[in-house]
Amino acid sequence: MFIETTRLIRAALQAVTGEEDVLIADGGEHADLASTVAFPLAKKRRAPPASIAAELASRLAPTLAPHGIAVEATGPYLNFRFGPPYFAGAIRAALAPGYGAGEPQEARVVLEHTSANPNGPLHVGHIRNSIIGDTLARAFRKAGYPTEVQYYVNDMGRQIAIVVWGMEHLGFEPDAGEKPDHFIARVYVEANRRIEADPAITAEIDGLMQRVEALDPATVRAFRNVVARCLDGFRETLGDLATPHDRFVWESDFLRNGDMERVLSRLSRLPVAHQEEVFYLDLSGAGIENRYVLRRSDGTSVYAARDLAYHLWKGRNFDRVIDVLGADHKLIGAQLQATLSLIGELPPEIVHFEFVSLPEGSMSTRAGTFIAADDLIAETRRRAFEEVTVRRPELPEEERRAIAQSVALAAIRYDIIRISPEKSTVFDWKTALDFERQSGPYIQYAHARACSILEKAGGFTETFAAESPYEQALVRQIAKFPAVVAQAVAELRPHLVATYARELADLFNTFYHYEPVLRAEGEMRDARLTLVLAAQNTLREALGTLGIDALRSM
RNA sequence: GGGCCUGUGGCUUAGUCCGGAUAGAGCGCCGGGCUUCUAACCCGGAUGCCGGGGGUUCGAAUCCCUCCAGGCCCGCCA
């Protein structure tokens, strides 16, 4: 309803002013929508903006009044206020299953996220990638785009070679119940320690790298074995976070199927290509001064070369390619985009997120200084279970366990997604474990309250009206949901959905506090129940877009 | 040294791309509200030279310049 009404007002304003950009802005407390076109018109017409606004208001009124929209000039501002038809339409729309969804789109989207090196468990930095990527994927699907989510498995990297070396020389065995990715990290950390102590080992690592590139069967098997073990651990963590992938694409496939050699030979014919001791591209034409090295002097390829082949493949099978990458990948991301553009292939759209660090400094798998996502999940679940047990002691343990699991997921996902990706953060246990206000559980709670009312209400006649300021404020927010989804997708900013959902919960709670629903009578009871149903459905859809369970009871 | 990102009450942050009407929230602090639909809630109060300086504009947290501070990058790692 918000999108349609905004469109209507924009068209009316364009017709009346003859301006293309009619400067529509949020009306704040003054109005539902406002326009500041009177300012530029004042300059053009050499008349005071306030009198222009007044004149426009009187000319707009006849077209907008039939839609129940009031126009008023307040000084130079044009203020639009929505009336009963808007509220009724918004409530009705919000009752539909899947509310917020956009029109089905043609463009097929491939979205890559997480893609962490399989040399140790996912930590709280990696899961920022997972959660941003997954929320974005959910938003894309909600907005109507067929979307495939991929994990790019780096199974040829030096880090993996180090793990393979460690497996063969350290004789480590997993502890009882130890997750495979945690075991791999133990091997990786110790192997790195040995390499530091004995630089001769580096040559052995180089040998492994060369043999895997030459597709030596035993070496390929060894690499694949450690990667698969680590990935099993990742899948469990990603499952706990509800950030699933549709497909795991293995880097080495692009070596094996010849794609990488094909793209390298294609690039070698470019004027920007240079074959000296290494093969590299000079991208200074695109404003990138660093050499883009694609082949080492020993002839082996680097990650970037395989990544180019991967992106070429994605670009040919999808209409939009989106990557979620850490800020440390900004340079290599720009090089990738520039190179693909250069050869007329579809470059990826890249969403970068800044780093998560610990109070004592940055996280490092190699140094073993990180908070594993698994530990965060376990601790958050433990705290949530404590909390549920205090609040709902009467529930059977199994049910409390299930609620705690959903609450923990909500707390973790919301704590991460609420922050703009471009902001670097310091991980803080206190806010991660906070289940109040500006948190995922807070939004879940508003939804559970709505469900509780509806459960007790019994049957009622759907009635579409919002009388009080609290009801109207709630409907205004409900009406904006489809616009928020569309905006999050258009701007690749999934955190907009998080902000929206929290504001929706705020408004529902305020309404809940001031307006009795079950104790209201007649049409007012029906209208409020219908509004609660609309709010409940919108909260559920918003939570779903955030990958958070909409609990009916908690 | 060069490039990218960030700087908003004690702390965490929305708003910045697309300039408008008294800069929104949460935590913490002070004070209220549970015989009433789930208090993981609600209400009120104190707390802001929107990093500093300059500029553009009728109007700047938002645009431009500059300086300062923090993060990241500048590998034949990924």
Side-chain angles (χ1 to χ4, degrees):
Chain A
M1 199 66 187
F2 180 76
I3 294 174
E4 296 81 344
T5 305
T6 303
R7 202 176 290 146
L8 180 80
I9 290 173
R10 175 173 292 118
L13 267 167
Q14 284 168 334
V16 152
T17 59
E19 295 285 304
E20 178 57 31
D21 187 1
V22 289
L23 302 174
I24 288 177
D26 185 77
E29 326 157 17
H30 309 278
D32 291 304
L33 231 45
S35 167
T36 55
V37 256
F39 287 108
L41 287 176
K43 193 165 282 182
K44 276 187 196 169
R45 301 184 189 173
R46 293 208 191 85
S51 70
I52 289 175
E55 183 227 318
L56 291 176
S58 64
R59 288 175 58 201
L60 283 164
T63 41
L64 297 178
H67 300 278
I69 301 166
V71 209
E72 190 187 37
T74 307
Y77 299 95
L78 270 173
N79 288 330
F80 304 90
R81 271 198 172 279
F82 305 159
Y86 179 82
F87 296 117
I91 296 167
R92 193 185 295 275
L95 258 28
Y99 175 57
E103 293 293 311
Q105 302 287 322
E106 289 294 316
R108 294 156 305 156
V109 174
V110 60
L111 191 151
E112 177 197 340
H113 72 72
T114 309
S115 300
N117 276 329
N119 62 341
L122 299 174
H123 59 56
V124 296
H126 296 126
I127 67 172
R128 189 174 193 191
N129 190 325
S130 312
I131 291 166
I132 289 170
D134 182 71
T135 308
L136 197 53
R138 287 170 190 268
F140 262 95
R141 286 181 174 139
K142 185 129 197 81
Y145 292 88
T147 304
E148 179 168 314
V149 179
Q150 296 188 350
Y151 189 115
Y152 185 51
V153 183
N154 306 148
D155 62 337
M156 296 187 63
R158 192 167 196 88
Q159 283 91 333
I160 309 308
I162 291 169
V163 175
V164 168
W165 181 91
M167 287 290 192
E168 288 167 357
H169 294 83
L170 297 174
F172 280 17
E173 288 299 327
D175 296 334
E178 187 176 29
K179 269 186 84 212
D181 47 343
H182 291 254
F183 169 62
I184 300 273
R186 240 173 1 105
V187 173
Y188 180 68
V189 169
E190 180 56 27
N192 269 296
R193 216 170 276 151
R194 298 287 176 93
I195 292 165
E196 232 165 273
D198 179 8
I201 299 170
T202 303
E204 298 181 37
I205 305 291
D206 289 342
L208 281 168
M209 296 283 287
Q210 278 159 22
R211 287 204 297 283
V212 79
E213 176 116 2
L215 299 173
D216 168 59
T219 311
V220 167
R221 234 185 344 266
F223 273 60
R224 191 178 299 165
N225 177 41
V226 301
V227 169
R229 283 173 80 172
C230 199
L231 239 39
D232 283 340
F234 285 0
R235 280 201 191 86
E236 195 179 322
T237 307
L238 294 168
D240 286 346
L241 293 170
T243 59
H245 292 81
D246 299 306
R247 200 194 294 219
F248 284 71
V249 180
W250 292 57
E251 182 182 4
S252 59
D253 286 346
F254 295 97
L255 183 78
R256 213 167 290 122
N257 70 11
D259 278 5
M260 188 198 74
E261 281 306 328
R262 271 188 287 279
V263 68
L264 286 184
S265 89
R266 183 170 165 197
L267 291 170
S268 70
R269 294 192 289 272
L270 256 32
V272 298
H274 296 272
Q275 179 64 59
E276 292 170 13
E277 69 281 20
V278 295
F279 174 60
Y280 72 94
L281 263 35
D282 173 3
L283 299 171
S284 54
I288 301 168
E289 299 304 329
N290 314 62
R291 287 177 168 195
Y292 191 32
V293 175
L294 299 174
R295 216 194 271 283
R296 301 184 181 95
S297 53
D298 67 2
T300 57
S301 61
V302 297
Y303 168 86
R306 278 102 63 181
D307 205 26
L308 272 167
Y310 173 42
H311 279 84
L312 206 105
W313 173 73
K314 287 199 280 190
R316 290 186 171 176
N317 288 285
F318 295 90
D319 304 301
R320 285 182 72 178
V321 179
I322 295 164
D323 295 342
V324 181
L325 298 172
D328 53 338
H329 285 62
K330 277 185 181 176
L331 175 59
I332 201 160
Q335 289 171 325
L336 179 68
Q337 289 171 318
T339 303
L340 289 166
S341 298
L342 205 58
I343 58 174
E345 300 283 345
L346 183 66
E349 304 166 57
I350 304 179
V351 177
H352 287 290
F353 64 93
E354 292 287 333
F355 264 49
V356 181
S357 58
L358 300 177
E360 54 271 26
S362 59
M363 277 181 278
S364 160
T365 303
R366 181 178 0 198
T369 54
F370 59 86
I371 293 176
D374 295 318
D375 295 340
L376 170 64
I377 293 164
E379 177 62 10
T380 312
R381 282 179 177 172
R382 195 188 61 72
R383 275 279 304 117
F385 183 70
E386 261 177 27
E387 202 65 38
V388 177
T389 300
V390 169
R391 293 172 198 277
R392 304 292 299 278
E394 78 284 3
L395 294 179
E397 182 178 334
E398 202 178 324
E399 198 170 330
R400 277 180 283 138
R401 200 64 74 192
I403 292 172
Q405 194 156 317
S406 287
V407 166
L409 175 67
I412 293 169
R413 288 192 66 132
Y414 198 85
D415 184 50
I416 288 171
I417 201 65
R418 54 183 258 269
I419 308 293
S420 309
E422 65 272 15
K423 228 130 185 167
S424 51
T425 65
V426 176
F427 179 78
D428 177 14
W429 276 106
K430 194 170 156 292
T431 54
L433 297 177
D434 184 6
F435 304 146
E436 293 175 5
R437 298 295 284 192
Q438 306 206 342
S439 77
Y442 169 82
I443 303 165
Q444 289 179 303
Y445 187 69
H447 176 266
R449 281 174 140 186
C451 288
S452 175
I453 292 177
L454 293 166
E455 202 151 300
K456 290 179 176 150
F460 63 94
T461 311
E462 287 184 354
T463 304
F464 306 94
E467 300 292 340
S468 74
Y470 301 111
E471 293 167 307
Q472 294 185 354
L474 179 56
V475 178
R476 284 191 184 96
Q477 182 73 1
I478 286 171
K480 284 182 180 165
F481 183 49
V484 169
V485 172
Q487 192 188 0
V489 165
E491 300 177 7
L492 302 178
R493 288 197 303 167
H495 85 279
L496 294 176
V497 181
T499 304
Y500 171 82
R502 198 213 76 230
E503 286 170 350
L504 179 60
D506 283 345
L507 290 165
F508 179 78
N509 281 331
T510 306
F511 158 79
Y512 178 95
H513 185 74
Y514 285 107
E515 311 282 7
V517 177
L518 297 177
R519 280 178 292 116
E521 287 175 3
E523 263 186 44
M524 182 173 281
R525 185 176 191 274
D526 287 338
R528 286 186 184 163
L529 276 167
T530 310
L531 177 53
V532 171
L533 187 58
Q536 181 262 325
N537 192 42
T538 309
L539 281 165
R540 195 170 62 85
E541 294 297 331
L543 285 168
T545 309
L546 294 170
I548 296 173
D549 300 324
L551 293 171
R552 301 193 67 82
S553 167
M554 63 188 281

